[in-house]
Amino acid sequence: MGRTAYLQGQKAAGRKVAAVWPARYPAELLWAHGVCPAEVWDPPAGQALAGAHLQSYVCGIVRQGLELLLSGGLTTADILLFPHTCDSIQNLGSLVRDLVHEPRPCLYFYPPRSGRSERAAVYLEAQLRTLSADLTRIAGPLRDGALEGALALGNGRAAALRHMYDLRARGALDASNEEFYGAVRTCEYLWPEDAVLHLEAFMKTHAGRPRRGVPLVLSGVLPAPSDLAQRLDGLSVAVVEDDLLACGRRFARALLPEPGDPWRAMAARLLALPPCSTAGDSVEDRASFLAEQVERTGGRGVLVLALKFCEPELFQIPSLVDAMRGRGIPVLAVETELGNSAPAGMMTRVEAFLESLP
Amino acid sequence: MTLGMELRYRWMKDVALPVLLKARERNRRKGSIGESPLGPPLESTRSLKRLMTRHYALARYAEGARPVAWVTSGAPVELLRAFGCYSVYPENHAALCGARRMGPEICTRAEEAGFSRDLCSYARVDLGHALSGLTPVGRLPRPDVLFCTNNICQTILYWFKELSHREGIPLVLFDTPFISVGEGTPEVFDYVAGQIKDAVPALERITGREFREDRFHEVLRSSIRASALWGEVLATMRHRPAPMTVFDAFVHLAPVVSLRGLPSCERYYEGLLAELQERVSRDVAAVPGERHRLMWDNIAIWFALAPLSRLFAEHGCAGVAGTYPNAWAETNHYLDLADPFGSLAKTYALIFLNRGLDYRLGLMEAMGRDYQVDGLVLHSARSCKPYSVGQYDLRRSLAGRLGIKSVVLEGDMTDFRTWSEEQARTRLTAFFESLDG
Ligand code: SF4
């Protein structure tokens, strides 16, 4: 079933749908209110309408997301949620509500940047309660035990993702890069129970020996352009891990003990996600996380996908590259853009990188 | 900090620099400015040059004598001053590099180290400077602490984190949540105020100096007054004809950005205000024959400030209001000695760049009316996303609300590699002509 049909089904089942812009947000809170998040990363939209509102130097995620909205591609959504990920998404959220006059409720969520401190946790918790009050107005109040239930759903989905990433890393998944990321990215819109079913079915179908290839770890925002995973398959690259913002940077690699209070637990869960440029985490932390993945999975190098105009990533990449090299890990950073096909020049560089690997 | 360094610093500050600067001024030949469409230049510009030259010159001697801090333009510098820190503003330094047309040269150094050309050019100038030492001011002192607030953008956070990582300098950060809707909540202000309080022991550790509340209050008082004076300076442009232009404001805002909280800053604006008030009383026009009054949105195009100022004047257009210069007069009224930390949180969290576009639209509309503006020039700065994303719609909305015409200039603050002087001139000329009807 396609994404739109699936979301219409969710609405028919009595749930609300929220279009959610990248990247990290409390999905559990939305589930607890009976709202199904449908994330807007790289929709196959042009940029013709968005061009009247946004300059050409704004990143593709922001431009294509706005295009989708303006061209009526988000009609299933009852709510729009803009997590504060970067300056561009910040202004997009404001633009849509204040100047484009979107009639549906626009909600905002600010992930704190002051480290993983107690102060950040307290502020995060206060924000979760504010967001919950907004959701109550739109989707109705929380039922007894709804938060605990949603936290359990989140645990279940994270466990399924961890399992799938683990199988891939251990060489026990007979799936191409394209198939793997196709499956992982269904989490962007499936209700968590459906996501778990889908991932489990995928693991079952694809159980077996891995395809042979050069084991690489991917870093960056998302596997873009859309044929990238396929092109990497063509080059016999076997991606074994990633810290992609849309994928592996959104679930903790280990199940951590959580506070008993569900609000606290939700805040703690967000603060326990892997290091991220958008959260203001240090490059040392990010590099250590990546190096750990390289070591754990036997990756022979790191391929960094630097998304054009993505400020948080572009600031961190030079030092990340240095840090990887400093640890003796081969690394290549290439500039990418959303779109259908990876430019030849970029793939040539990837090929040369693969040839240079020890 | 050593006694020798302290003595050297004091000697430079109180004896050598004043003499050197006077001598320099005496020796500077008066160049002819030729035919100018502009009114008489502001006398205060000389004091400004003296003040800022002294600030950068003295900075070189601050290392080892004072704790040195590199500070972002929206950071609560009042706290730092209570520790006697010498403050350097990389954004101000980048603007200076831009004005001296050194932007691309320094940016290239950062790009060679892997930083994308699409990143904020202020950041590239600063990182390029850190990598190469290139600067028009001789040398910037190495900081003991980086002092950063993300109320102007998240870019500044990535940039200062990068500096901290590369140079191994401690970073004191204040996270100011973006206020998308409304006036901010107690949770936001508590969160920010808590971080400012947390910075006190951190700064005591880094500077080796004790926090002195009396000194802190003195600085706050001075900061309140400097911002209020700056507000009055800008308000003189409400007069017809305006006694100065927004281009002058871009130049004369340097002290309120960089020296806020110091007596020299207050003194400077007292002088500037007196000069402007005197001009107002005599109807001295910054643009003789002022026909149109314009508002400028976004940071200046530093490398083109002088030609743009002349071009405006040639067409009888006076830039009389600017969202950027206004930022330093906008929220300091929240400062309250009875609640220094809570009021600092409000002052710095509520600046317009940290608020939704609805707020910015209201602010621009009010400015448009207060300053009787009949046109709007929007600088779409390609490397400053927080200021620029949304401008196309702001423009449309303002046209509806104020009934004014507008023009967008695609440019940048310091990096002129994508700037076409010719194209800008053509666009602006057509715009000015359309104002004449
Ligand atoms: S992105 Fe804009 S607001 Fe931020 S530092 Fe650069 S010029 Fe200033």
Short mmCIF file of all heavy atoms in Angstrom, two decimals, chain A residues 52-53 55 57 84 87 90-91 94-95 97-98 108 110 112-114 119 123 126 280 283-284 308-309 311 318-319, chain B residues 118 150 154-155 157 161-162 165 173 175 177-178 180-181 187 191 198 356-358 380 382 385-386 388-389 392-393 396:
data_model
loop_
_atom_site.label_atom_id
_atom_site.label_comp_id
_atom_site.label_asym_id
_atom_site.label_seq_id
_atom_site.Cartn_x
_atom_site.Cartn_y
_atom_site.Cartn_z
N ALA A 52 8.68 30.90 -5.32
CA ALA A 52 8.12 32.23 -5.09
C ALA A 52 8.28 32.64 -3.63
O ALA A 52 8.06 33.80 -3.28
CB ALA A 52 6.64 32.24 -5.47
N HIS A 53 8.64 31.68 -2.77
CA HIS A 53 8.74 31.97 -1.34
C HIS A 53 10.16 31.83 -0.79
O HIS A 53 10.48 32.41 0.25
CB HIS A 53 7.83 31.00 -0.56
CG HIS A 53 6.40 31.09 -0.97
ND1 HIS A 53 5.50 31.94 -0.38
CD2 HIS A 53 5.71 30.44 -1.95
CE1 HIS A 53 4.31 31.81 -0.96
NE2 HIS A 53 4.41 30.91 -1.92
N GLN A 55 14.48 31.48 -1.41
CA GLN A 55 15.61 31.77 -2.27
C GLN A 55 16.26 30.45 -2.74
O GLN A 55 16.08 29.41 -2.12
CB GLN A 55 16.65 32.59 -1.52
CG GLN A 55 16.22 34.01 -1.20
CD GLN A 55 15.56 34.17 0.15
OE1 GLN A 55 14.98 33.22 0.69
NE2 GLN A 55 15.62 35.36 0.72
N TYR A 57 19.14 29.53 -2.44
CA TYR A 57 20.20 29.02 -1.57
C TYR A 57 19.65 28.30 -0.33
O TYR A 57 20.36 28.12 0.65
CB TYR A 57 21.18 30.14 -1.17
CG TYR A 57 20.54 31.41 -0.67
CD1 TYR A 57 20.01 31.50 0.62
CD2 TYR A 57 20.48 32.55 -1.47
CE1 TYR A 57 19.44 32.67 1.09
CE2 TYR A 57 19.90 33.72 -1.02
CZ TYR A 57 19.39 33.78 0.27
OH TYR A 57 18.82 34.94 0.73
N HIS A 84 12.43 22.24 15.58
CA HIS A 84 13.42 23.27 15.30
C HIS A 84 14.77 22.58 15.05
O HIS A 84 15.53 22.33 15.97
CB HIS A 84 13.52 24.22 16.49
CG HIS A 84 14.34 25.42 16.21
ND1 HIS A 84 15.71 25.37 16.09
CD2 HIS A 84 14.00 26.70 15.98
CE1 HIS A 84 16.16 26.57 15.82
NE2 HIS A 84 15.14 27.40 15.76
N ASP A 87 18.16 26.77 11.13
CA ASP A 87 17.59 28.09 10.85
C ASP A 87 16.56 28.05 9.72
O ASP A 87 15.56 28.76 9.76
CB ASP A 87 18.71 29.06 10.46
CG ASP A 87 19.68 29.29 11.62
OD1 ASP A 87 19.22 29.34 12.76
OD2 ASP A 87 20.90 29.39 11.36
N GLN A 90 13.35 26.40 10.88
CA GLN A 90 12.76 27.37 11.82
C GLN A 90 11.95 28.42 11.04
O GLN A 90 10.78 28.67 11.33
CB GLN A 90 13.89 28.05 12.59
CG GLN A 90 13.54 29.38 13.23
CD GLN A 90 14.78 30.18 13.62
OE1 GLN A 90 15.56 29.73 14.43
NE2 GLN A 90 14.95 31.36 13.04
N ASN A 91 12.56 29.00 10.03
CA ASN A 91 11.86 30.06 9.29
C ASN A 91 10.75 29.48 8.42
O ASN A 91 9.72 30.13 8.22
CB ASN A 91 12.84 30.87 8.45
CG ASN A 91 13.57 31.89 9.29
OD1 ASN A 91 13.69 31.73 10.50
ND2 ASN A 91 14.07 32.94 8.66
N SER A 94 7.64 29.14 10.48
CA SER A 94 7.04 30.44 10.73
C SER A 94 6.39 30.99 9.45
O SER A 94 5.28 31.52 9.47
CB SER A 94 8.15 31.36 11.22
OG SER A 94 7.63 32.53 11.71
N LEU A 95 7.10 30.81 8.35
CA LEU A 95 6.60 31.28 7.05
C LEU A 95 5.25 30.65 6.72
O LEU A 95 4.30 31.32 6.31
CB LEU A 95 7.64 30.90 5.99
CG LEU A 95 7.30 31.12 4.53
CD1 LEU A 95 7.46 32.58 4.19
CD2 LEU A 95 8.21 30.31 3.63
N ARG A 97 2.98 29.31 8.68
CA ARG A 97 1.86 29.74 9.51
C ARG A 97 1.57 31.23 9.35
O ARG A 97 0.44 31.65 9.15
CB ARG A 97 2.13 29.43 10.98
CG ARG A 97 0.87 29.60 11.83
CD ARG A 97 1.18 29.83 13.27
NE ARG A 97 2.08 30.95 13.41
CZ ARG A 97 2.76 31.25 14.49
NH1 ARG A 97 2.65 30.48 15.54
NH2 ARG A 97 3.58 32.27 14.54
N ASP A 98 2.64 32.04 9.45
CA ASP A 98 2.44 33.49 9.56
C ASP A 98 2.24 34.20 8.22
O ASP A 98 1.56 35.22 8.17
CB ASP A 98 3.65 34.15 10.26
CG ASP A 98 3.84 33.63 11.67
OD1 ASP A 98 2.85 33.16 12.26
OD2 ASP A 98 4.97 33.70 12.18
N TYR A 108 5.15 23.55 17.02
CA TYR A 108 6.61 23.70 17.01
C TYR A 108 7.21 22.92 18.18
O TYR A 108 6.57 22.73 19.21
CB TYR A 108 6.98 25.18 17.10
CG TYR A 108 6.35 25.96 15.98
CD1 TYR A 108 5.11 26.58 16.14
CD2 TYR A 108 6.95 26.02 14.72
CE1 TYR A 108 4.49 27.24 15.10
CE2 TYR A 108 6.34 26.69 13.67
CZ TYR A 108 5.11 27.30 13.86
OH TYR A 108 4.52 27.94 12.81
N TYR A 110 11.16 22.52 20.13
CA TYR A 110 12.54 23.00 20.15
C TYR A 110 13.44 22.02 20.93
O TYR A 110 13.37 21.98 22.16
CB TYR A 110 12.61 24.38 20.80
CG TYR A 110 13.99 25.00 20.77
CD1 TYR A 110 14.39 25.78 19.69
CD2 TYR A 110 14.89 24.77 21.80
CE1 TYR A 110 15.67 26.33 19.65
CE2 TYR A 110 16.16 25.32 21.76
CZ TYR A 110 16.55 26.09 20.69
OH TYR A 110 17.80 26.63 20.65
N PRO A 112 16.49 21.18 22.88
CA PRO A 112 17.50 22.06 23.50
C PRO A 112 18.91 21.78 22.99
O PRO A 112 19.23 20.66 22.63
CB PRO A 112 17.41 21.72 25.00
CG PRO A 112 16.27 20.82 25.17
CD PRO A 112 15.82 20.32 23.85
N ARG A 113 19.71 22.83 23.01
CA ARG A 113 21.10 22.72 22.51
C ARG A 113 22.12 22.85 23.64
O ARG A 113 23.29 23.06 23.37
CB ARG A 113 21.36 23.83 21.50
CG ARG A 113 21.12 23.51 20.05
CD ARG A 113 19.70 23.20 19.72
NE ARG A 113 19.49 23.08 18.29
CZ ARG A 113 18.33 23.28 17.69
NH1 ARG A 113 17.27 23.62 18.40
NH2 ARG A 113 18.21 23.14 16.39
N SER A 114 21.65 22.78 24.88
CA SER A 114 22.60 23.03 25.97
C SER A 114 23.20 21.74 26.51
O SER A 114 23.46 21.61 27.69
CB SER A 114 21.89 23.79 27.09
OG SER A 114 20.79 23.03 27.55
N ARG A 119 19.28 20.66 33.18
CA ARG A 119 18.53 21.84 32.75
C ARG A 119 17.82 21.60 31.42
O ARG A 119 16.66 21.98 31.23
CB ARG A 119 19.49 23.02 32.60
CG ARG A 119 19.04 24.19 33.40
CD ARG A 119 19.98 25.34 33.32
NE ARG A 119 20.60 25.63 34.58
CZ ARG A 119 19.96 25.99 35.67
NH1 ARG A 119 18.65 26.07 35.68
NH2 ARG A 119 20.62 26.26 36.78
N TYR A 123 13.74 21.56 30.75
CA TYR A 123 13.11 22.39 29.72
C TYR A 123 12.37 21.52 28.69
O TYR A 123 11.26 21.84 28.26
CB TYR A 123 14.15 23.28 29.04
CG TYR A 123 13.52 24.08 27.94
CD1 TYR A 123 12.52 25.00 28.21
CD2 TYR A 123 13.86 23.85 26.61
CE1 TYR A 123 11.88 25.69 27.21
CE2 TYR A 123 13.22 24.54 25.59
CZ TYR A 123 12.24 25.46 25.89
OH TYR A 123 11.59 26.12 24.90
N ALA A 126 9.10 20.40 30.03
CA ALA A 126 8.10 21.48 30.00
C ALA A 126 7.52 21.63 28.60
O ALA A 126 6.32 21.83 28.40
CB ALA A 126 8.74 22.78 30.45
N GLY A 280 23.60 20.32 18.36
CA GLY A 280 24.75 21.05 18.92
C GLY A 280 25.73 20.12 19.61
O GLY A 280 26.54 20.56 20.41
N VAL A 283 31.75 17.56 17.74
CA VAL A 283 32.27 16.71 16.67
C VAL A 283 33.03 15.51 17.25
O VAL A 283 33.02 14.42 16.67
CB VAL A 283 33.13 17.55 15.68
CG1 VAL A 283 34.44 17.95 16.29
CG2 VAL A 283 33.34 16.82 14.39
N GLU A 284 33.62 15.70 18.44
CA GLU A 284 34.33 14.57 19.07
C GLU A 284 33.35 13.45 19.35
O GLU A 284 33.63 12.28 19.10
CB GLU A 284 34.98 14.98 20.40
CG GLU A 284 36.09 16.00 20.32
CD GLU A 284 35.58 17.43 20.44
OE1 GLU A 284 34.37 17.67 20.23
OE2 GLU A 284 36.40 18.32 20.71
N LYS A 308 23.81 19.63 0.22
CA LYS A 308 23.99 21.03 -0.17
C LYS A 308 23.13 21.96 0.69
O LYS A 308 21.95 21.68 0.91
CB LYS A 308 23.61 21.15 -1.65
CG LYS A 308 23.74 22.53 -2.22
CD LYS A 308 24.91 22.64 -3.17
CE LYS A 308 24.98 24.01 -3.79
NZ LYS A 308 26.29 24.64 -3.64
N PHE A 309 23.71 23.01 1.18
CA PHE A 309 23.07 24.06 1.99
C PHE A 309 22.65 23.60 3.39
O PHE A 309 21.94 24.34 4.07
CB PHE A 309 21.83 24.64 1.28
CG PHE A 309 22.14 25.31 -0.02
CD1 PHE A 309 21.50 24.91 -1.20
CD2 PHE A 309 23.06 26.33 -0.10
CE1 PHE A 309 21.78 25.51 -2.41
CE2 PHE A 309 23.35 26.96 -1.31
CZ PHE A 309 22.70 26.54 -2.46
N GLU A 311 23.46 23.59 6.80
CA GLU A 311 24.47 24.25 7.65
C GLU A 311 24.99 23.38 8.79
O GLU A 311 26.19 23.29 8.99
CB GLU A 311 23.90 25.55 8.20
CG GLU A 311 23.57 26.55 7.12
CD GLU A 311 24.31 27.86 7.30
OE1 GLU A 311 24.69 28.18 8.42
OE2 GLU A 311 24.49 28.55 6.29
N PRO A 318 34.23 19.12 7.95
CA PRO A 318 35.70 19.17 7.88
C PRO A 318 36.38 18.54 9.11
O PRO A 318 37.31 17.75 8.98
CB PRO A 318 36.02 20.67 7.78
CG PRO A 318 34.79 21.26 7.20
CD PRO A 318 33.64 20.46 7.72
N SER A 319 35.88 18.86 10.29
CA SER A 319 36.51 18.31 11.49
C SER A 319 36.18 16.83 11.66
O SER A 319 36.98 16.06 12.21
CB SER A 319 36.06 19.06 12.74
OG SER A 319 36.67 20.32 12.76
N ASP B 118 28.90 27.74 0.84
CA ASP B 118 27.51 28.11 1.12
C ASP B 118 27.30 28.51 2.57
O ASP B 118 26.21 28.96 2.94
CB ASP B 118 26.57 26.94 0.80
CG ASP B 118 26.62 26.56 -0.67
OD1 ASP B 118 26.74 27.47 -1.50
OD2 ASP B 118 26.56 25.36 -0.97
N ASN B 150 22.72 31.46 20.89
CA ASN B 150 22.15 31.14 19.57
C ASN B 150 20.84 31.88 19.31
O ASN B 150 19.99 31.38 18.58
CB ASN B 150 21.98 29.62 19.40
CG ASN B 150 21.11 29.00 20.49
OD1 ASN B 150 20.77 29.66 21.47
ND2 ASN B 150 20.75 27.74 20.33
N GLN B 154 21.28 29.45 14.58
CA GLN B 154 21.96 28.23 15.03
C GLN B 154 23.36 28.17 14.44
O GLN B 154 24.26 27.55 14.98
CB GLN B 154 21.18 26.97 14.61
CG GLN B 154 19.79 26.89 15.19
CD GLN B 154 19.77 27.04 16.70
OE1 GLN B 154 20.49 26.33 17.39
NE2 GLN B 154 18.97 27.95 17.20
N THR B 155 23.53 28.85 13.29
CA THR B 155 24.83 28.90 12.63
C THR B 155 25.94 29.27 13.61
O THR B 155 27.02 28.70 13.62
CB THR B 155 24.76 29.94 11.50
OG1 THR B 155 23.86 29.45 10.52
CG2 THR B 155 26.10 30.21 10.88
N LEU B 157 26.14 28.80 16.67
CA LEU B 157 26.44 27.70 17.58
C LEU B 157 27.41 26.72 16.91
O LEU B 157 28.42 26.33 17.51
CB LEU B 157 25.13 27.02 17.97
CG LEU B 157 25.19 25.66 18.64
CD1 LEU B 157 25.83 25.78 20.01
CD2 LEU B 157 23.78 25.10 18.81
N LYS B 161 31.21 26.23 18.13
CA LYS B 161 31.59 24.87 18.54
C LYS B 161 32.84 24.46 17.76
O LYS B 161 33.75 23.81 18.28
CB LYS B 161 30.46 23.89 18.23
CG LYS B 161 29.33 23.97 19.20
CD LYS B 161 29.11 22.64 19.89
CE LYS B 161 28.26 22.86 21.12
NZ LYS B 161 28.19 21.74 22.01
N GLU B 162 32.84 24.81 16.49
CA GLU B 162 33.96 24.46 15.62
C GLU B 162 35.23 25.17 16.10
O GLU B 162 36.30 24.57 16.19
CB GLU B 162 33.59 24.87 14.19
CG GLU B 162 34.53 24.41 13.12
CD GLU B 162 34.83 22.92 13.15
OE1 GLU B 162 33.95 22.13 13.51
OE2 GLU B 162 35.98 22.56 12.84
N HIS B 165 36.43 23.54 19.22
CA HIS B 165 37.05 22.24 18.92
C HIS B 165 38.45 22.42 18.35
O HIS B 165 39.41 21.80 18.78
CB HIS B 165 36.15 21.49 17.94
CG HIS B 165 36.80 20.30 17.31
ND1 HIS B 165 36.99 19.12 17.99
CD2 HIS B 165 37.32 20.11 16.07
CE1 HIS B 165 37.59 18.25 17.19
NE2 HIS B 165 37.80 18.83 16.03
N LEU B 173 27.98 28.55 26.56
CA LEU B 173 26.88 28.66 25.61
C LEU B 173 25.56 28.95 26.33
O LEU B 173 25.28 28.37 27.38
CB LEU B 173 26.75 27.33 24.86
CG LEU B 173 25.46 27.13 24.05
CD1 LEU B 173 25.49 27.98 22.79
CD2 LEU B 173 25.27 25.66 23.68
N ASP B 175 21.68 28.69 25.41
CA ASP B 175 20.71 28.21 24.43
C ASP B 175 19.41 28.98 24.65
O ASP B 175 18.80 28.90 25.72
CB ASP B 175 20.51 26.70 24.67
CG ASP B 175 19.48 26.10 23.74
OD1 ASP B 175 19.29 26.63 22.64
OD2 ASP B 175 18.86 25.07 24.14
N PRO B 177 15.81 29.17 23.32
CA PRO B 177 14.82 28.55 22.43
C PRO B 177 14.12 29.56 21.55
O PRO B 177 13.74 30.65 22.02
CB PRO B 177 13.84 27.90 23.41
CG PRO B 177 14.64 27.66 24.64
CD PRO B 177 15.60 28.80 24.73
N PHE B 178 13.94 29.19 20.32
CA PHE B 178 13.26 30.06 19.36
C PHE B 178 11.80 30.25 19.79
O PHE B 178 11.12 29.27 20.12
CB PHE B 178 13.32 29.43 17.97
CG PHE B 178 12.77 30.31 16.88
CD1 PHE B 178 13.47 31.43 16.46
CD2 PHE B 178 11.56 30.02 16.28
CE1 PHE B 178 12.96 32.25 15.47
CE2 PHE B 178 11.05 30.83 15.28
CZ PHE B 178 11.75 31.95 14.87
N SER B 180 8.53 30.78 18.57
CA SER B 180 7.75 30.75 17.32
C SER B 180 6.47 31.55 17.45
O SER B 180 6.04 32.21 16.51
CB SER B 180 7.38 29.31 16.96
OG SER B 180 8.51 28.51 16.89
N VAL B 181 5.85 31.44 18.61
CA VAL B 181 4.53 32.04 18.81
C VAL B 181 4.53 32.83 20.12
O VAL B 181 5.15 32.40 21.10
CB VAL B 181 3.45 30.93 18.96
CG1 VAL B 181 2.06 31.52 18.83
CG2 VAL B 181 3.66 29.82 17.95
N GLU B 187 8.85 29.11 31.20
CA GLU B 187 9.81 27.99 31.08
C GLU B 187 11.02 28.40 30.25
O GLU B 187 12.16 28.06 30.58
CB GLU B 187 9.15 26.77 30.41
CG GLU B 187 8.14 26.05 31.25
CD GLU B 187 6.76 26.71 31.24
OE1 GLU B 187 6.50 27.57 30.36
OE2 GLU B 187 5.94 26.38 32.12
N TYR B 191 14.75 28.71 31.80
CA TYR B 191 15.81 27.89 31.19
C TYR B 191 17.02 28.77 30.85
O TYR B 191 18.16 28.44 31.16
CB TYR B 191 15.22 27.21 29.96
CG TYR B 191 16.18 26.45 29.08
CD1 TYR B 191 16.99 25.44 29.60
CD2 TYR B 191 16.25 26.69 27.70
CE1 TYR B 191 17.85 24.71 28.76
CE2 TYR B 191 17.08 25.98 26.87
CZ TYR B 191 17.89 24.99 27.40
OH TYR B 191 18.73 24.28 26.56
N ASP B 198 24.42 29.61 35.68
CA ASP B 198 25.43 28.54 35.64
C ASP B 198 26.77 29.06 35.10
O ASP B 198 27.82 28.49 35.39
CB ASP B 198 24.98 27.39 34.71
CG ASP B 198 23.81 26.61 35.29
OD1 ASP B 198 23.51 26.78 36.48
OD2 ASP B 198 23.18 25.84 34.53
N GLY B 356 9.18 34.54 15.71
CA GLY B 356 8.55 34.18 14.45
C GLY B 356 8.44 35.34 13.47
O GLY B 356 8.60 36.51 13.85
N LEU B 357 8.16 35.01 12.23
CA LEU B 357 8.11 36.04 11.18
C LEU B 357 6.92 36.99 11.37
O LEU B 357 6.96 38.13 10.91
CB LEU B 357 8.05 35.37 9.81
CG LEU B 357 9.34 34.65 9.41
CD1 LEU B 357 9.14 33.84 8.13
CD2 LEU B 357 10.50 35.63 9.22
N ASP B 358 5.91 36.51 12.06
CA ASP B 358 4.77 37.36 12.34
C ASP B 358 5.21 38.57 13.16
O ASP B 358 4.80 39.70 12.92
CB ASP B 358 3.76 36.51 13.16
CG ASP B 358 2.39 37.12 13.12
OD1 ASP B 358 2.10 37.81 12.14
OD2 ASP B 358 1.62 36.91 14.08
N SER B 380 18.77 40.22 0.38
CA SER B 380 18.67 38.77 0.57
C SER B 380 20.12 38.27 0.64
O SER B 380 20.80 38.14 -0.37
CB SER B 380 17.90 38.19 -0.62
OG SER B 380 18.18 36.83 -0.77
N ARG B 382 22.82 35.77 0.87
CA ARG B 382 22.80 34.35 0.52
C ARG B 382 23.39 33.45 1.59
O ARG B 382 23.04 32.29 1.69
CB ARG B 382 23.43 34.09 -0.86
CG ARG B 382 24.90 34.01 -0.94
CD ARG B 382 25.36 33.49 -2.32
NE ARG B 382 25.57 32.05 -2.31
CZ ARG B 382 24.90 31.18 -3.04
NH1 ARG B 382 23.96 31.57 -3.87
NH2 ARG B 382 25.17 29.90 -2.97
N LYS B 385 20.86 32.55 6.42
CA LYS B 385 19.52 31.97 6.25
C LYS B 385 18.49 32.55 7.24
O LYS B 385 17.37 32.87 6.84
CB LYS B 385 19.53 30.45 6.41
CG LYS B 385 20.65 29.71 5.67
CD LYS B 385 20.45 29.67 4.18
CE LYS B 385 21.50 28.84 3.48
NZ LYS B 385 22.87 29.38 3.49
N PRO B 386 18.80 32.68 8.53
CA PRO B 386 17.76 33.10 9.47
C PRO B 386 17.21 34.48 9.14
O PRO B 386 16.04 34.77 9.38
CB PRO B 386 18.46 33.11 10.82
CG PRO B 386 19.91 33.16 10.52
CD PRO B 386 20.07 32.44 9.21
N SER B 388 17.24 35.80 6.05
CA SER B 388 16.77 35.93 4.67
C SER B 388 15.57 35.06 4.32
O SER B 388 14.74 35.45 3.50
CB SER B 388 17.93 35.62 3.71
OG SER B 388 19.05 36.41 4.03
N VAL B 389 15.49 33.85 4.92
CA VAL B 389 14.39 32.96 4.56
C VAL B 389 13.07 33.56 5.08
O VAL B 389 12.92 33.76 6.27
CB VAL B 389 14.61 31.54 5.13
CG1 VAL B 389 13.41 30.65 4.83
CG2 VAL B 389 15.88 30.93 4.55
N TYR B 392 10.78 37.10 0.98
CA TYR B 392 9.90 37.30 -0.19
C TYR B 392 8.47 37.53 0.29
O TYR B 392 7.74 38.36 -0.25
CB TYR B 392 9.94 36.10 -1.13
CG TYR B 392 11.25 35.88 -1.87
CD1 TYR B 392 11.41 34.80 -2.73
CD2 TYR B 392 12.33 36.74 -1.71
CE1 TYR B 392 12.60 34.58 -3.41
CE2 TYR B 392 13.53 36.53 -2.39
CZ TYR B 392 13.66 35.44 -3.24
OH TYR B 392 14.84 35.23 -3.90
N ASP B 393 8.06 36.78 1.30
CA ASP B 393 6.69 36.92 1.79
C ASP B 393 6.52 38.14 2.69
O ASP B 393 5.47 38.78 2.70
CB ASP B 393 6.26 35.64 2.53
CG ASP B 393 6.00 34.52 1.56
OD1 ASP B 393 4.88 34.42 1.06
OD2 ASP B 393 6.95 33.78 1.24
N ARG B 396 5.87 40.92 0.35
CA ARG B 396 4.48 40.97 -0.16
C ARG B 396 3.53 41.49 0.92
O ARG B 396 2.68 42.33 0.67
CB ARG B 396 4.05 39.57 -0.60
CG ARG B 396 4.49 39.22 -2.01
CD ARG B 396 3.84 37.93 -2.48
NE ARG B 396 4.47 36.75 -1.92
CZ ARG B 396 5.48 36.10 -2.48
NH1 ARG B 396 5.98 36.51 -3.63
NH2 ARG B 396 6.00 35.04 -1.91
#
